[in-house]
Structure formats: structure tokens, C-alpha cells
Amino acid sequence: MPQTISIATWNVNSIRSRLTHLLDWLDADNAPDILCLQELKTVDEGVPVMEIEARGYNIATHGQKTYNGVAILSKFPMEDVIRGLPGNEEDDQARYIEAVISAHGEAVRVASVYVPNGQAVGSDKFAYKMRFFDFLRQRLQWWQEQNELQAMTGDYNVAPTPLDVYAPDKLEGTVCFHPDERAKLRTLEHLG
């Protein structure tokens, strides 16, 4: 019977502000084997690496001051860490990190993704969000060619169905509940 691993994802909204909660979770009996974090809100040097490693985790970060930042914590060894979304090298925002994790003799490719919010429909930031989804789709297509287990986790900043928002009629067409965003998310879901 194959071994299992647990993978969790959390938009931590400032790793330093939530450090006590994070460490309590990592100390708990139900702590995940792999934890992907988004919105670290600090540069790599500001991440509490020693505290995390003391709990038996390896850590890879892609931080950014004030905003964004992503990380992967793993009880298993990590290699081939990629910081930044391949194909989107001119993007200086820390929104993507990927690693190959060796768990129980299997390679598991894991990514932590923090898709842009988009601010307002029709804005430059909304267009940036749409392009980010396109680059993410390209990366997932490449993933499909690999012979590995895969988990792309994160905060996609999209409510996919009316059940995911408090007032679907009122919010329809607004940022994070716009049909164009939902369509981009569905293209990722339907890649296979």
C-alpha cells in the first residue's frame, strides 16, 4: 500500500504577524507534511527560518517586502526550487515558488501560487492578473509532460461558483468574481 502525505495551503497574510499560529500548527499532531504559504509580506531574510527548521521542516522562500511572498515548508527533502513563474521572468513580484519534493521514494512537484487580486475590472492590475493566469496555464501544461505526482496549491483570488460569495447577484462582474477570471481558473482545472 502506498504511503500518503498531507499537503496544506494557507494565505498567511504576514508570516511575522501569524508566527505564533504557524508554529502552533507545525507543533500539532495534525501538522501537514508539506505546507505552502502565500502573502508572506517579508523578504527572504525576514522569514523565521530557524524556528521552522527547528520543527523538522525544510523551507524554500520567495519573499518580497510589504506585499506578496510565497513559501514551501516540507518534512521531506526539496530540490529543483524555482522562484518566480517560468516564462514570466520580467515579473518582479514574488508570487510563485515550486520545488520537487522526495517523499517516500516518489517525486512530488509542488508549487505555492499567489495569484494577483486584480484590484478593479478594467485596470492594469486586472490585465496583469489575466496574464498571470496565462503564464500559470503554460507552466501547468509543462507539468503534464513530467512523470511526477503534482500539487499546485495557493490563493487564486477567484470565487469559482456563486456558492463561494455572500451575494452572487451583487458581486457578479466584480474583481475576484468576474466571468473572465472564472474562465481562466477553469482552463487550469480542465488541463487534466
Side-chain angles (χ1 to χ4, degrees):
M1 187 152 121
Q3 298 258 340
T4 61
I5 59 170
S6 58
I7 301 174
T9 187
W10 180 21
N11 180 321
V12 70
N13 192 19
S14 176
I15 194 167
R16 292 184 296 195
S17 295
R18 307 287 181 276
L19 183 58
T20 301
H21 300 296
L22 174 62
L23 297 179
D24 286 348
W25 191 15
L26 298 180
D27 288 336
D29 289 339
N30 65 345
D33 295 317
I34 300 169
L35 176 59
C36 297
L37 300 174
Q38 302 84 42
E39 209 170 351
L40 301 178
K41 292 188 176 181
T42 187
V43 294
D44 292 336
E45 297 78 20
V47 175
V49 172
M50 289 187 345
E51 292 91 331
I52 292 166
E53 288 178 341
R55 282 149 176 90
Y57 284 86
N58 299 295
I59 182 168
T61 62
H62 183 36
Q64 184 175 347
K65 187 177 180 179
T66 310
Y67 301 104
N68 308 323
V70 287
I72 301 172
L73 288 60
S74 173
K75 291 181 180 178
F76 305 102
M78 285 189 278
E79 56 189 25
D80 299 333
V81 176
I82 297 172
R83 292 167 176 85
L85 186 54
N88 195 18
E89 285 79 11
E90 62 276 355
D91 187 357
D92 62 353
Q93 295 191 25
R95 295 183 170 278
Y96 184 92
I97 190 167
E98 171 184 316
V100 176
I101 298 172
S102 299
H104 306 301
E106 294 268 8
V108 182
R109 186 172 297 275
V110 176
S112 181
V113 181
Y114 181 42
V115 173
N117 173 281
Q119 191 174 22
V121 176
S123 70
D124 289 345
K125 291 184 178 183
F126 190 79
Y128 167 63
K129 181 177 189 175
M130 297 293 100
R131 287 190 309 275
F132 190 91
F133 270 118
D134 292 339
F135 285 112
L136 197 54
R137 183 174 194 271
Q138 289 173 15
R139 187 62 181 170
L140 276 173
Q141 286 174 316
W142 179 85
W143 273 30
Q144 285 187 319
E145 299 168 8
Q146 311 312 304
N147 188 24
E148 303 163 319
L149 299 173
Q150 303 163 352
M152 185 167 284
T153 70
D155 180 348
Y156 290 83
N157 270 314
V158 177
T161 73
L163 294 174
D164 298 306
V165 295
Y166 70 93
D169 293 339
K170 179 180 176 184
L171 294 174
E172 178 62 42
T174 63
V175 72
C176 295
F177 195 55
H178 191 277
D180 292 348
E181 294 166 306
R182 294 193 307 265
K184 294 282 187 183
L185 184 62
R186 279 192 305 277
T187 65
L188 301 181
E189 294 171 337
H190 295 293
L191 280 175

